[in-house]
Every structure is written in structure tokens, then in C-alpha cells.
Amino acid sequence: MRREITVTAPVNIAVIKYWGKRDVKLNLPTNSSLSVTLSQDEMCSKTTVSVDKSYTKDTLVLNGEENEINGRLVNVLNVMRESTTESEIKDLHVRIESTNNFPTAAGLASSASGFAALVYGLGKIFVPSYTNSQLSTIARQGSGSACRSLFGGFVAWNKGEKLDGSDSSAVEIAPQSHWDDLDALICVVSANKKAVASTAGMQRTVETSPYLQHRADNVVPKRMDDIIDAIKSKDFDKFADITMMDSNSFHASCLDTHPPIFYLTDVSRAIINVVHALNNAMGRHVAAYTFDAGPNAVLYVQRKDKELVLSIINSLFGPCEGVECNSLDNILRRYNIDADL
Ligand code: DP6
């Protein structure tokens, strides 16, 4: 008995950030979040999942190296094994081989695409009838942001209300084709592993930051409604403002953590200043920045402004060793910005 499948899953970059868990075991978030799924052309996780009667243990090989199977992966495997109706598969061991074509754990959403690919692959083997929405609740238990990578385009992760987490799943707000001249420029400030991993960082924030609860109760709910409106009406000015404000709100909660967590560097802050100066000079929004748990910037731009923004970033932070993605979906331009500022 053997089954094998190879899948790829995309990265997503949140514009309303998930930060904080109300239930660590089920990985339920403190607040809802919303992201844009990037094209898989340049950034994706590719995962081969197999089950075979000859396997004597579960194995995980990440970027060519055998890794320990941690608790979250065990949880995901357990859910799959408990849900399958095929008794001959239930007790088989799995082998998972996964590679990323971008820096792992550098605040570039590697756990999102990694767990999304894994859960999708496991789902096809153990419970082929699962919908993407059901798979998203399982991916969430691997890594919260992974639940959003089960869908393309603009994706909301509703925090849900139920104690068992069954309504804490992702939903597509609009397909990528709805706003296909929106591009993402990835500016790699540093490809090093992040100093404080997201899971540990957000727990520290939950335990020590008074601002986080205010953000969850009073800031994010309205922003979710407003950014969904902005996406539906393709209002870039509104989309950009909310995106930048929410990135800053998330990093403010990191600063409000005790001891504080610093993900942004001087180069990140210089990018923030450049974007505001540029938007100001143009009298409209030409770019919106957002930063995850690391110093790397993602700039959302409309395609008509892409060359302008690229040339400014190049001239200030170059030389650019980037490659430009020719896909029509999303753009990725990767920089190695080590500029001294
Ligand atoms: C800053 O999804 O990596 O990128 O659920 O603990 O695995 P875990 O956290 P993870 O956190 C992502 C945090 C973020 C914001 C976001 O993607 O919404």
C-alpha cells in the first residue's frame, strides 16, 4: 500500500495582522486577520507527502535536512488519522519532504506556505473529501497564518467564536483576478532567521501588552470591515492607509511587549519614511508597506506605479540583485538591502 502526492502552496502576506492566541492548543487567534496571497512563481513551498507500508516511522525532511516532528505537526497528523475513513491508511507512517524557494523563518511566511502545502497533501491522502475551508481549520492548528494560504486572492481569517475552533477558518473575500493590477514587491532586508519566533513572540505580547487587547477589541474589527470595502471597491488609497496603519499597530504591540520585541531595523524604518515621503510628494498613495515578524518590507503597489517605486527603492537601497517575476498575478522583486543608512 502506497500513496504519494506533490503539491505547492503559496505565501500570503497579511495586511491586517494576526498577533496573539486566545487558545494556544487549538491555535485560535485573538483577532481576525486578512491577507493577500502571492503568486507561486517565485515564492512557494513544494511538499511531497507519502504513506507506505514499509515506513517504520514518520519522517520530515525540510530543505534537504531531516527535522524533528514537533507538536504542531503531530497535532495535524493526528487530526488527519482520526478523520480518515480508510482503515488501511490510518496506521501508516508518513514521509514529508518540503522545500521553500525563499529564506525560511526570516519573517517571510514560510510556515504559512509550508503548513498549507502539507495539510493539503495530507488531506488528499487521508480525507480527499475535505473542502479547502475544512482544510484551513486543520492548517490553522499547524500555523495560524497557514489557514489563509489555502486560498488565492484576498483572504480573511475569521477568528471565530466557538470554543472548539470549528468556525475559526479562512474565507476568500475576492479572487486575485478581481484586482489583478495590484502587485507586491518583496524587499529582503535580511534573510537571517528571526530573533524571536512568531509563536513565542506573540505569547509574550499576550502576557504583557495592555495594548494588544485594545487592538483586538477596538482597532481590528473596524479595520477588517474597512479593508474589505477597500478591496471590493479597489480603492488603493484606503487599502494602503489601512495596510500601513495595521503594520504599525502590530509593531507597536511588539514594542509594548515586556521585554520589547524589535523586528524592524533602521533599514525597515528608512523604507517606511521613503514610502510616506513618496506618497506625500505624489499627492496620492503609490505604495503601501507592511512588515511581518522580521525586517523585510512588502510593498503593495498598483502596476502603473511599479517602475517608479522600484526605481526609487533601487536608487536608495540598491544595488538590486532582484529578479523580476513576469507573472501577471503578483510581482515579486527580491532585494538584498544591506544598505548603511
Ligand atoms: C506577523 O502564523 O507564524 O506574520 O500560529 O504561531 O505559527 P503561529 O504564528 P504565525 O504568525 C504570523 C504572524 C505575522 C502576521 C500574519 O501573518 O498575520
Side-chain angles (χ1 to χ4, degrees):
M1 173 68 157
R2 178 178 174 81
R3 275 189 200 168
E4 178 177 318
I5 183 169
T6 297
V7 298
T8 61
V11 161
N12 72 76
I13 302 291
V15 289
I16 303 292
K17 303 294 189 192
Y18 147 54
W19 197 251
K21 302 174 201 288
R22 65 178 197 276
D23 182 322
V24 175
K25 194 160 178 288
L26 292 172
N27 221 18
L28 299 175
T30 310
N31 60 270
S32 296
S33 56
L34 194 140
S35 60
V36 182
T37 297
L38 302 191
S39 151
Q40 295 199 54
D41 289 5
E42 295 256 0
M43 287 175 83
C44 70
S45 295
K46 185 175 182 187
T47 302
T48 300
V49 183
S50 56
V51 290
D52 193 306
K53 252 164 80 177
S54 69
Y55 294 165
T56 52
K57 62 176 177 86
D58 294 331
T59 312
L60 170 67
V61 181
L62 271 185
N63 293 319
E65 276 182 28
E66 191 161 332
N67 269 51
E68 281 207 9
I69 303 221
N70 67 22
R72 303 243 199 120
L73 184 48
V74 172
N75 288 350
V76 165
L77 280 170
N78 286 344
V79 173
M80 290 291 178
R81 285 183 173 129
E82 280 159 21
S83 314
T84 186
T85 50
E86 296 182 67
S87 51
E88 66 276 23
I89 294 228
K90 215 180 185 78
D91 298 324
L92 294 185
H93 289 291
V94 299
R95 181 178 171 83
I96 300 152
E97 283 180 73
S98 190
T99 52
N100 293 328
N101 58 355
F102 58 94
T104 301
L108 282 177
S110 54
S111 65
S113 54
F115 265 106
L118 170 67
V119 166
Y120 193 84
L122 287 171
K124 290 291 153 218
I125 288 178
F126 284 92
V127 195
S129 61
Y130 268 153
T131 62
N132 277 14
S133 172
Q134 287 170 310
L135 289 173
S136 84
T137 64
I138 302 173
R140 186 204 75 226
Q141 295 172 57
S143 180
S145 53
C147 74
R148 300 184 309 236
S149 272
L150 265 302
F151 297 90
F154 301 84
V155 184
W157 170 15
N158 296 318
K159 72 184 181 81
E161 302 300 333
K162 293 188 182 161
L163 287 178
D164 69 357
S166 55
D167 59 348
S168 186
S169 58
V171 56
E172 186 188 284
I173 298 299
Q176 181 271 328
S177 58
H178 164 72
W179 200 353
D180 67 354
D181 67 340
L182 188 69
D183 291 330
L185 312 179
I186 317 290
C187 305
V188 180
V189 172
S190 163
N192 295 336
K193 222 172 147 91
K194 51 194 164 193
V196 182
S198 309
T199 308
M202 66 178 82
Q203 271 322 100
R204 203 200 296 174
T205 307
V206 167
E207 283 156 19
T208 63
S209 165
Y211 173 67
L212 188 74
Q213 202 57 48
H214 169 73
R215 168 175 159 74
D217 294 342
N218 306 315
V219 179
V220 170
K222 177 162 171 22
R223 275 192 190 151
M224 285 292 290
D225 292 345
D226 288 349
I227 205 156
I228 289 170
D229 283 349
I231 290 164
K232 290 199 163 147
S233 58
K234 296 194 257 183
D235 180 342
F236 188 75
D237 282 330
K238 191 168 167 184
F239 174 84
D241 262 336
I242 298 170
T243 296
M244 294 188 285
M245 286 194 292
D246 203 71
S247 174
N248 293 330
S249 163
F250 151 51
H251 288 280
S253 68
C254 292
L255 195 59
D256 193 46
T257 300
H258 187 66
I261 306 169
F262 305 112
Y263 287 124
L264 304 181
T265 63
D266 285 350
V267 176
S268 317
R269 283 185 284 273
I271 294 172
I272 291 176
N273 281 332
V274 166
V275 169
H276 284 294
L278 185 57
N279 288 345
N280 207 20
M282 296 295 288
R284 64 183 178 86
H285 290 82
V286 292
Y289 56 77
T290 188
F291 296 82
D292 277 345
N296 303 315
V298 175
L299 303 183
Y300 286 108
V301 298
Q302 294 176 100
R303 193 153 305 145
K304 62 178 181 187
D305 296 320
K306 185 185 89 178
E307 289 309 325
L308 170 71
V309 174
L310 282 175
S311 69
I312 302 272
I313 296 287
N314 272 341
S315 66
L316 291 173
F317 300 100
C320 166
E321 294 177 16
V323 267
E324 189 165 348
C325 167
N326 288 322
S327 116
L328 288 179
D329 306 339
N330 273 295
I331 303 167
L332 164 70
R333 187 136 184 175
R334 208 174 291 172
Y335 294 90
N336 286 313
I337 303 174
D338 277 321
D340 292 323
L341 289 169

